[in-house]
Amino acid sequence: MGDTNGRAEVMVAEARKAFFVMFAFVALIWLVQLANAADGYDLSRDHGVVPGDADSLPALLSAPLLHWSWNHIEANSGPLFVFGFLAAYRGVTRFLGLTLLVALTSGMAVWLFERGGVDTVGASGLVFGYFGYVVVRGLFDRHLIDTLIGVVMAASFAYLLTVAVPGTPGVSWLGHLGGLAGGILGAWLFRDRGKRRSASGGGGGGGGGGGEPSATAPPRADLHKELGDLGLL
Protein backbone atom coordinates (compact mmCIF):
# COMPACT_ATOMS: atom_id res chain seq x y z
CA MET A 1 0.00 0.00 0.00
CA GLY A 2 2.82 2.37 0.87
CA ASP A 3 4.49 1.82 -2.50
CA THR A 4 1.21 2.49 -4.32
CA ASN A 5 0.65 5.67 -2.32
CA GLY A 6 4.19 6.79 -3.11
CA ARG A 7 3.68 6.29 -6.85
CA ALA A 8 0.37 8.11 -6.72
CA GLU A 9 2.00 11.06 -4.94
CA VAL A 10 4.74 11.19 -7.58
CA MET A 11 2.16 11.20 -10.38
CA VAL A 12 0.11 13.93 -8.72
CA ALA A 13 3.26 16.01 -8.28
CA GLU A 14 4.19 15.52 -11.95
CA ALA A 15 0.65 16.41 -13.04
CA ARG A 16 0.82 19.59 -10.96
CA LYS A 17 4.14 20.51 -12.58
CA ALA A 18 2.70 19.72 -16.02
CA PHE A 19 -0.23 22.06 -15.38
CA PHE A 20 2.00 24.97 -14.39
CA VAL A 21 4.47 24.31 -17.22
CA MET A 22 1.68 24.44 -19.81
CA PHE A 23 0.04 27.44 -18.17
CA ALA A 24 3.37 29.28 -18.30
CA PHE A 25 3.99 28.21 -21.90
CA VAL A 26 0.59 29.38 -23.12
CA ALA A 27 1.03 32.64 -21.18
CA LEU A 28 4.42 33.10 -22.86
CA ILE A 29 3.08 32.74 -26.40
CA TRP A 30 0.32 35.24 -25.57
CA LEU A 31 2.87 37.73 -24.26
CA VAL A 32 4.88 37.23 -27.45
CA GLN A 33 1.69 37.76 -29.45
CA LEU A 34 1.06 41.08 -27.69
CA ALA A 35 4.52 42.30 -28.65
CA ASN A 36 4.21 40.85 -32.14
CA ALA A 37 0.84 42.47 -32.88
CA ALA A 38 2.01 45.81 -31.50
CA ASP A 39 4.97 45.67 -33.90
CA GLY A 40 2.88 44.89 -36.98
CA TYR A 41 3.88 41.21 -36.89
CA ASP A 42 7.48 41.99 -37.76
CA LEU A 43 8.55 39.21 -35.37
CA SER A 44 6.68 36.66 -37.49
CA ARG A 45 8.29 38.01 -40.64
CA ASP A 46 11.78 38.10 -39.13
CA HIS A 47 11.72 34.83 -37.16
CA GLY A 48 9.58 32.46 -39.22
CA VAL A 49 10.79 29.38 -41.09
CA VAL A 50 11.47 30.17 -44.75
CA PRO A 51 11.76 27.07 -46.98
CA GLY A 52 15.32 26.46 -48.16
CA ASP A 53 16.70 29.61 -46.50
CA ALA A 54 19.67 28.65 -44.33
CA ASP A 55 19.45 31.95 -42.45
CA SER A 56 16.02 30.95 -41.16
CA LEU A 57 17.15 27.67 -39.56
CA PRO A 58 17.38 29.24 -36.06
CA ALA A 59 13.67 30.00 -36.48
CA LEU A 60 12.95 26.30 -36.01
CA LEU A 61 12.94 27.12 -32.30
CA SER A 62 11.31 30.58 -32.42
CA ALA A 63 8.55 29.94 -34.96
CA PRO A 64 6.33 27.88 -32.58
CA LEU A 65 6.09 30.92 -30.28
CA LEU A 66 4.82 33.24 -33.03
CA HIS A 67 1.49 33.67 -34.81
CA TRP A 68 0.03 35.75 -37.63
CA SER A 69 -3.21 36.92 -35.98
CA TRP A 70 -5.35 36.76 -32.87
CA ASN A 71 -7.52 34.11 -34.52
CA HIS A 72 -4.40 32.09 -35.21
CA ILE A 73 -3.23 32.02 -31.59
CA GLU A 74 -6.77 31.49 -30.25
CA ALA A 75 -7.20 28.41 -32.43
CA ASN A 76 -3.93 26.94 -31.17
CA SER A 77 -4.07 27.78 -27.47
CA GLY A 78 -6.77 25.36 -26.28
CA PRO A 79 -5.45 22.22 -28.02
CA LEU A 80 -1.89 23.22 -27.10
CA PHE A 81 -2.75 23.33 -23.40
CA VAL A 82 -4.82 20.11 -23.38
CA PHE A 83 -2.47 17.94 -25.42
CA GLY A 84 0.59 19.49 -23.81
CA PHE A 85 -0.70 18.70 -20.33
CA LEU A 86 -1.50 15.10 -21.29
CA ALA A 87 1.96 14.76 -22.84
CA ALA A 88 3.68 16.21 -19.76
CA TYR A 89 1.89 14.65 -16.80
CA ARG A 90 4.05 11.50 -16.85
CA GLY A 91 7.22 13.57 -16.60
CA VAL A 92 8.07 17.17 -17.37
CA THR A 93 11.73 16.50 -18.21
CA ARG A 94 10.77 13.98 -20.88
CA PHE A 95 8.16 16.45 -22.14
CA LEU A 96 10.79 19.16 -22.66
CA GLY A 97 12.82 16.77 -24.80
CA LEU A 98 9.69 15.92 -26.76
CA THR A 99 8.95 19.60 -27.34
CA LEU A 100 12.41 20.21 -28.78
CA LEU A 101 12.13 17.15 -31.03
CA VAL A 102 8.69 18.14 -32.34
CA ALA A 103 9.74 21.74 -32.98
CA LEU A 104 12.64 20.44 -35.07
CA THR A 105 10.69 17.85 -37.07
CA SER A 106 7.81 20.23 -37.74
CA GLY A 107 10.09 23.08 -38.78
CA MET A 108 12.36 20.89 -40.90
CA ALA A 109 9.37 19.45 -42.77
CA VAL A 110 8.49 23.00 -43.78
CA TRP A 111 12.09 24.02 -44.48
CA LEU A 112 12.80 20.99 -46.67
CA PHE A 113 9.56 20.40 -48.55
CA GLU A 114 7.49 23.60 -48.57
CA ARG A 115 7.51 25.72 -51.71
CA GLY A 116 7.65 29.51 -51.89
CA GLY A 117 9.22 32.12 -49.66
CA VAL A 118 6.46 32.40 -47.08
CA ASP A 119 7.42 32.70 -43.41
CA THR A 120 5.79 29.85 -41.48
CA VAL A 121 5.04 30.34 -37.78
CA GLY A 122 2.63 28.96 -35.19
CA ALA A 123 2.30 26.42 -32.41
CA SER A 124 0.15 24.03 -34.43
CA GLY A 125 3.15 21.82 -35.19
CA LEU A 126 3.57 21.33 -31.44
CA VAL A 127 -0.17 20.64 -31.12
CA PHE A 128 0.06 17.84 -33.66
CA GLY A 129 3.24 16.51 -32.07
CA TYR A 130 1.70 16.35 -28.61
CA PHE A 131 -1.42 14.77 -30.11
CA GLY A 132 0.58 12.02 -31.83
CA TYR A 133 2.60 11.42 -28.68
CA VAL A 134 -0.47 11.10 -26.46
CA VAL A 135 -2.22 8.74 -28.87
CA VAL A 136 0.62 6.19 -29.10
CA ARG A 137 2.58 6.67 -25.85
CA GLY A 138 0.60 4.05 -23.95
CA LEU A 139 1.40 1.42 -26.55
CA PHE A 140 5.16 1.97 -26.25
CA ASP A 141 5.14 2.37 -22.46
CA ARG A 142 2.63 -0.47 -21.92
CA HIS A 143 0.56 1.77 -19.64
CA LEU A 144 -3.06 0.73 -19.87
CA ILE A 145 -4.39 4.06 -18.63
CA ASP A 146 -2.30 5.97 -21.16
CA THR A 147 -3.46 3.60 -23.89
CA LEU A 148 -7.08 4.31 -22.99
CA ILE A 149 -6.37 8.06 -22.96
CA GLY A 150 -4.80 7.70 -26.41
CA VAL A 151 -7.84 5.87 -27.76
CA VAL A 152 -10.19 8.55 -26.41
CA MET A 153 -8.05 11.37 -27.81
CA ALA A 154 -7.75 9.68 -31.20
CA ALA A 155 -11.51 9.14 -31.39
CA SER A 156 -12.35 12.65 -30.18
CA PHE A 157 -9.86 14.62 -32.26
CA ALA A 158 -9.41 12.50 -35.39
CA TYR A 159 -10.68 15.47 -37.40
CA LEU A 160 -7.34 17.18 -36.72
CA LEU A 161 -5.74 14.83 -39.23
CA THR A 162 -7.70 16.49 -42.02
CA VAL A 163 -5.32 19.45 -41.82
CA ALA A 164 -2.22 17.24 -41.96
CA VAL A 165 -2.79 15.93 -45.46
CA PRO A 166 -1.52 17.29 -48.78
CA GLY A 167 -3.49 20.08 -50.35
CA THR A 168 -5.12 21.51 -47.24
CA PRO A 169 -5.69 25.17 -48.18
CA GLY A 170 -4.57 28.04 -45.99
CA VAL A 171 -2.49 26.02 -43.51
CA SER A 172 1.01 24.59 -43.34
CA TRP A 173 0.00 20.95 -43.58
CA LEU A 174 3.67 19.99 -43.87
CA GLY A 175 4.36 21.55 -40.46
CA HIS A 176 1.41 19.64 -39.02
CA LEU A 177 2.53 16.38 -40.58
CA GLY A 178 6.13 16.92 -39.43
CA GLY A 179 4.93 17.64 -35.90
CA LEU A 180 2.76 14.52 -35.88
CA ALA A 181 5.68 12.39 -37.05
CA GLY A 182 7.90 13.95 -34.36
CA GLY A 183 5.36 13.15 -31.66
CA ILE A 184 5.14 9.51 -32.70
CA LEU A 185 8.93 9.29 -32.91
CA GLY A 186 9.17 10.90 -29.47
CA ALA A 187 6.82 8.32 -27.98
CA TRP A 188 9.27 5.63 -29.08
CA LEU A 189 12.47 7.49 -28.17
CA PHE A 190 11.22 8.52 -24.72
CA ARG A 191 9.41 5.28 -23.92
CA ASP A 192 9.57 3.88 -20.40
CA ARG A 193 12.51 1.47 -20.72
CA GLY A 194 12.82 0.98 -16.96
CA LYS A 195 9.42 -0.63 -16.70
CA ARG A 196 10.20 -3.02 -19.51
CA ARG A 197 13.50 -4.07 -17.90
CA SER A 198 11.81 -4.73 -14.57
CA ALA A 199 9.16 -6.82 -16.29
CA SER A 200 11.65 -8.96 -18.20
CA GLY A 201 14.56 -9.26 -15.77
CA GLY A 202 13.17 -8.95 -12.28
CA GLY A 203 12.61 -12.61 -11.49
CA GLY A 204 16.19 -13.81 -11.23
CA GLY A 205 16.26 -14.51 -7.47
CA GLY A 206 13.84 -17.41 -7.44
CA GLY A 207 12.29 -17.04 -3.99
CA GLY A 208 12.06 -13.23 -3.62
CA GLY A 209 8.61 -12.32 -2.30
CA GLY A 210 6.92 -8.96 -2.17
CA GLY A 211 8.30 -7.67 -5.48
CA GLU A 212 6.51 -6.18 -8.44
CA PRO A 213 3.90 -8.30 -10.22
CA SER A 214 5.47 -10.75 -12.63
CA ALA A 215 5.46 -10.26 -16.37
CA THR A 216 2.86 -13.04 -16.59
CA ALA A 217 0.36 -11.18 -14.40
CA PRO A 218 -3.10 -10.99 -16.04
CA PRO A 219 -4.09 -7.76 -17.83
CA ARG A 220 -6.71 -7.06 -15.15
CA ALA A 221 -3.98 -6.95 -12.50
CA ASP A 222 -2.05 -4.44 -14.63
CA LEU A 223 -5.17 -2.30 -14.97
CA HIS A 224 -5.76 -2.41 -11.21
CA LYS A 225 -2.14 -1.38 -10.63
CA GLU A 226 -2.51 1.57 -13.05
CA LEU A 227 -5.74 2.70 -11.40
CA GLY A 228 -4.05 2.41 -8.01
CA ASP A 229 -1.16 4.56 -9.20
CA LEU A 230 -3.66 7.25 -10.17
CA GLY A 231 -5.36 7.02 -6.78
CA LEU A 232 -8.59 5.67 -8.31
CA LEU A 233 -8.61 2.45 -6.27
Side-chain angles (χ1 to χ4, degrees), residues 5 7 18 21 42 59 68 80 82 86 149 151 162 166 177 180 199 225 231:
N5 289 339
R7 287 195 299 267
V21 165
D42 280 346
W68 280 116
L80 180 69
V82 172
L86 290 175
I149 290 173
V151 170
T162 61
L177 186 61
L180 184 67
K225 178 176 178 295

Side-chain angles (χ1 to χ4, degrees), residues 174-192:
L174 280 166
H176 297 169
L177 186 61
L180 184 67
I184 295 172
L185 175 62
W188 181 77
L189 289 176
F190 300 117
R191 65 192 183 279
D192 191 351

Side-chain angles (χ1 to χ4, degrees), residues 9-64:
E9 289 175 2
V10 170
M11 289 183 63
V12 169
E14 287 294 335
R16 186 180 297 113
K17 285 193 291 185
F19 176 86
F20 286 113
V21 165
M22 288 312 303
F23 182 85
F25 185 42
V26 173
L28 173 63
I29 66 171
W30 275 84
L31 288 174
V32 171
Q33 171 66 9
L34 286 171
N36 199 10
D39 199 30
Y41 292 98
D42 280 346
L43 289 175
S44 293
R45 280 184 283 272
D46 294 339
H47 300 284
V49 177
V50 181
D53 183 358
D55 291 337
S56 76
L57 284 174
L60 296 177
L61 301 180
S62 61

Side-chain angles (χ1 to χ4, degrees), residues 41-99:
Y41 292 98
D42 280 346
L43 289 175
S44 293
R45 280 184 283 272
D46 294 339
H47 300 284
V49 177
V50 181
D53 183 358
D55 291 337
S56 76
L57 284 174
L60 296 177
L61 301 180
S62 61
L65 302 176
L66 300 166
H67 294 82
W68 280 116
S69 68
W70 292 106
N71 288 336
H72 190 192
I73 191 173
E74 287 170 6
N76 282 336
S77 295
L80 180 69
F81 184 87
V82 172
F83 294 137
F85 172 79
L86 290 175
Y89 88 98
R90 285 285 188 184
V92 169
T93 301
R94 179 168 24 175
F95 168 76
L96 296 177
L98 171 71
T99 299

